[in-house]
Amino acid sequence: VALPLQLAPERLVAFAQRMGSLDFGSSGALCALLSEMGALNAQVLKQQLGVPDEFICAITLERMVDPVVASDGHTYERSAMEEWLAT
């Protein structure tokens, strides 16, 4: 059974509030944005701890819910593969 990754709602709200207050014309904005994204990424990685690499889609880097095997022999998330093929 695959469970979708979920970020804590309060973390997302706090992230959005901090991003809204940034002056993106400043040089420090990029550093702040990267720092915030790193913190959110760390939360996602904590949720993936113990999940075998075979369960992670190479396109989305998330746990697969609806995996499909492509002609290259690799397994991908169906929606990611459909989106990729549509472009």
Side-chain angles (χ1 to χ4, degrees):
V1 174
L3 299 174
L5 297 174
Q6 294 184 0
L7 295 173
E10 62 276 2
R11 295 280 316 255
L12 291 176
V13 169
F15 172 77
Q17 290 171 340
R18 286 190 297 275
M19 292 301 101
S21 66
L22 282 180
D23 173 15
F24 285 99
S26 72
S27 60
L30 180 59
C31 289
L33 177 62
L34 290 174
S35 175
E36 291 290 336
M37 295 301 291
L40 288 175
N41 189 46
Q43 185 179 355
V44 169
L45 289 175
K46 270 199 239 179
Q47 290 182 25
Q48 291 180 347
L49 197 61
V51 175
D53 289 343
E54 294 82 13
F55 292 3
I56 304 297
C57 174
I59 298 172
T60 64
L61 301 179
E62 294 181 358
R63 213 175 314 179
M64 292 183 279
V65 177
D66 188 12
V68 293
V69 178
S71 61
D72 65 0
H74 294 278
T75 305
Y76 303 96
E77 177 64 34
R78 180 182 302 275
S79 61
M81 182 54 74
E82 289 172 347
E83 184 178 325
W84 184 80
L85 290 171
T87 59

